[in-house]
Amino acid sequence: MAPAEPNVDYYAVLEISNIATIEVVTKSYRRLAKIRHPDKNLKDDSTAVFQLLQNAYDTIGDPAKRRAYDLRWSGIRDSLRAQQESERGQAEAAQTEKKRTTEARATEQKEDKARQERLRSLELVKSRYDNDIFELSRVVRKLVADLKRLQDQDDEDLRKERERNGWWAYLASPIYGKVNETDEQKQARETERLHRLASKSIKGSELDEKQAKVQRLQDALQNVNGKIAAEKKKVEDEKKKVEEEARVRRQRMEQEARNRAMQEMRERIARAQKEQAERTAKEAREAQAAREKQEAQERARMAAAAERCRREVEERAQAMRGAEEAARKAKKTWNACRHDRFWPKVEGRQLCSNCYTVQRRFAFQCPGCRMVACASCRQTLRGEKRKSGGVSGRRHGFASNDDYDDDFSFYDYD
């Protein structure tokens, strides 16, 4: 069975009051089970809903579980009410925020549309000014070229006049003869000069007028560009303002969410502390009873251990006394033995028959009297000194027992 949900109002799930009898609980459960059974509902959460109903019935239908649940039910009910109020407030705030956002978006769209219209109009004016400036510039360039051509013609006529009246023509006249112009030629040249002069005057005036018009158009174009830049800057400022407002609003909502979470956490902590205090009191009583029981068991165990230890000590003392008695009985035999033969090693835990010390790993045994001794007592019994390199033994022609390897312990030197 799934564990019970900690913060679920099972009375609300079963659609009953907290004072309903077990018959009412069973009747309501059976009615809701027929309605919410997964076989009759094809929704994705039908299994979870039916499982929650089952958990509610398992808890409320059992008197012991119901009593334990009733201790927490008031806190759960208050928590759920607070949560519902908080969710309702959040929903209302979200609805208000959504409405305000919709209105702000509609206003922003309207302003943006008007701004786009203004920008489109300014772009059209700018395009018209650009076209006019381009056409006038082309006319100005043509007038400048015509004036330059007329000025070049005047310069060419002046050069020719200087050549006719210069000193080179005077010197060459006796050779080539002096070329005299007729009155008709002079009249035609003067007429042409006057025409050029008039044309230069007209074209100069027209050029000044076109240049002034170009300048006015450039000023107007600059003004339009300034308005377009101002509109674009206003768009950017509005965008930054909207982003800043959205950021502030988002931070405010996050702060409110954190405050709500902190408030809910404090409420949960308060409820948890209350439940923990109740559980602690109950656990303290249970722990006290368990501790008393454990202390009684521990005292019984320690008494049994002390009794076992006492018996072991008595057994060891008795074994030691038996070993000492056996040693005293065998001492006559040991004293009769010279102990001068090779003592083989006896592996395992052994008791020295001379000093009564326990040898953990191995000891040595006399092959004559079967006496077991440690290494020090073996040397003492054999009449040897402490090993100092084996010089004294070799001086008399025999080796000490330590010079032999354990592999030769089975030899008999009788």
Side-chain angles (χ1 to χ4, degrees), residues 114-249:
R115 192 180 298 111
Q116 292 296 332
E117 289 294 333
R118 289 196 299 271
L119 284 175
R120 192 178 296 108
S121 300
L122 291 173
E123 290 292 341
L124 291 176
V125 173
K126 178 183 176 182
S127 178
R128 187 169 63 251
Y129 283 165
D130 286 336
N131 293 332
D132 293 342
I133 291 173
F134 177 77
E135 293 295 333
L136 288 174
S137 298
R138 185 171 60 81
V139 173
V140 167
R141 287 194 299 272
K142 183 178 179 182
L143 290 174
V144 170
D146 291 342
L147 289 173
K148 185 176 184 305
R149 180 176 55 78
L150 292 174
Q151 185 65 36
D152 292 341
Q153 290 180 359
D154 289 341
D155 294 340
E156 183 67 18
D157 291 343
L158 182 61
R159 185 184 64 78
K160 289 180 179 180
E161 182 66 24
R162 288 175 180 175
E163 287 180 355
R164 284 194 299 270
N165 296 326
W167 60 273
W168 178 255
Y170 177 76
L171 292 177
S173 59
I175 301 173
Y176 298 102
K178 187 175 180 181
V179 179
N180 295 321
E181 290 182 329
T182 62
D183 293 337
E184 290 80 4
Q185 290 177 346
K186 290 181 179 180
Q187 185 66 30
R189 186 162 54 82
E190 184 65 21
T191 302
E192 184 178 359
R193 187 182 67 80
L194 292 175
H195 280 297
R196 286 199 302 271
L197 183 61
S199 179
K200 286 174 61 178
S201 178
I202 294 171
K203 290 182 181 294
S205 300
E206 187 177 1
L207 177 61
D208 293 339
E209 181 182 356
K210 297 297 181 181
Q211 287 179 344
K213 190 173 182 180
V214 168
Q215 186 62 37
R216 289 195 300 273
L217 289 175
Q218 288 178 348
D219 293 340
L221 179 61
Q222 185 176 1
N223 188 17
V224 171
N225 289 330
K227 291 181 179 180
I228 292 174
E231 288 292 335
K232 291 183 177 179
K233 186 176 183 301
K234 189 182 295 183
V235 171
E236 293 294 332
D237 293 340
E238 289 292 333
K239 185 177 180 181
K240 291 180 180 179
K241 182 179 179 181
V242 171
E243 292 177 354
E244 182 66 20
E245 290 178 353
R247 186 182 64 81
V248 172
R249 186 165 57 255

Side-chain angles (χ1 to χ4, degrees), residues 1 32 122 126 192 253 314 330:
M1 182 179 65
L32 294 174
L122 291 173
K126 178 183 176 182
E192 184 178 359
M253 293 176 66
E314 291 179 355

Side-chain angles (χ1 to χ4, degrees), residues 20-37:
T21 61
I22 189 64
E23 291 79 9
V24 176
V25 173
T26 304
K27 184 177 179 181
S28 179
Y29 167 72
R30 291 176 179 175
R31 178 179 60 83
L32 294 174
K34 293 179 181 179
I35 299 173
R36 299 177 183 177
H37 197 276

